[in-house]
Amino acid sequence: MSGCEIYQIVPLERFEGSLKKLIKSHYRKNERARNCFLELIEYFISELRKNPGSCPDSEDEAFPKGCHQPVFKFRKIKFDMPELRGASRCGRLIYVIHEELCIVYLVWVYTHKEFPKRPHDDDLRKEFDAYSAKH
């Protein structure tokens, strides 16, 4: 543990796009459920600011082959999507922690219906490569 009191939250472009896509596909016509969903995402972000390594309902994920860097941790939060049923009800938020810099990178938010396990490794690799090229 790095001893950070507050982590900086950095949403990656893919995260922003996936969030908009979920709202459009599942909550476009249901404002109450949309607000509940957004409040849930804000709750997770506030928890990630405090202690991303032990955020409720989170677990370690394996990096796509060729992307692992020892300074990062890759994690996934599993949660129930408000007012949805079936595989769409199973929400996932994946993120990467850089403990030395006290930064949490929000990578993707999706449902189990979209990706039964997680987005394809090639897509994740592109996200990590794009980020690495910038930093």
Side-chain angles (χ1 to χ4, degrees):
M1 190 54 60
S2 69
C4 299
E5 289 184 32
I6 296 180
Y7 283 74
Q8 178 185 358
I9 303 296
V10 178
L12 300 180
E13 281 183 47
R14 176 67 75 166
F15 177 81
E16 298 287 351
S18 64
L19 182 63
K20 288 177 185 177
K21 180 181 176 185
L22 279 178
I23 291 168
K24 185 177 180 181
S25 62
H26 296 290
Y27 297 116
R28 184 180 64 219
K29 296 180 181 180
N30 187 340
E31 185 177 353
R32 183 187 69 245
R34 178 177 58 240
N35 290 338
C36 288
F37 172 65
L38 291 172
E39 286 173 13
L40 186 59
I41 296 299
E42 283 301 317
Y43 164 75
F44 287 127
I45 289 172
S46 71
E47 290 297 311
L48 291 172
R49 276 191 183 100
K50 294 181 231 171
N51 192 355
S54 63
C55 186
D57 301 313
S58 69
E59 57 191 37
D60 287 332
E61 279 288 302
F63 278 92
K65 189 173 183 173
C67 290
H68 182 262
Q69 295 179 16
V71 297
F72 292 108
K73 281 187 178 178
F74 186 28
R75 297 191 51 90
K76 174 170 56 179
I77 299 172
K78 295 180 177 182
F79 61 98
D80 288 338
M81 301 277 290
E83 298 187 31
L84 297 182
R85 295 180 182 188
S88 293
R89 181 172 172 79
C90 303
R92 307 289 188 258
L93 188 158
I94 54 177
Y95 62 99
V96 175
I97 308 167
H98 191 302
E99 287 189 346
E100 291 176 11
L101 297 179
C102 300
I103 298 174
V104 174
Y105 299 96
L106 304 177
V107 179
W108 211 310
V109 62
Y110 59 95
T111 68
H112 183 72
K113 184 175 182 178
E114 272 183 285
F115 303 105
K117 297 280 183 188
R118 68 181 195 188
H120 194 274
D121 279 357
D122 289 342
D123 294 327
L124 288 171
R125 197 174 294 110
K126 287 176 190 172
E127 288 301 305
F128 296 138
D129 289 345
Y131 168 75
S132 297
K134 292 179 185 177
H135 300 87

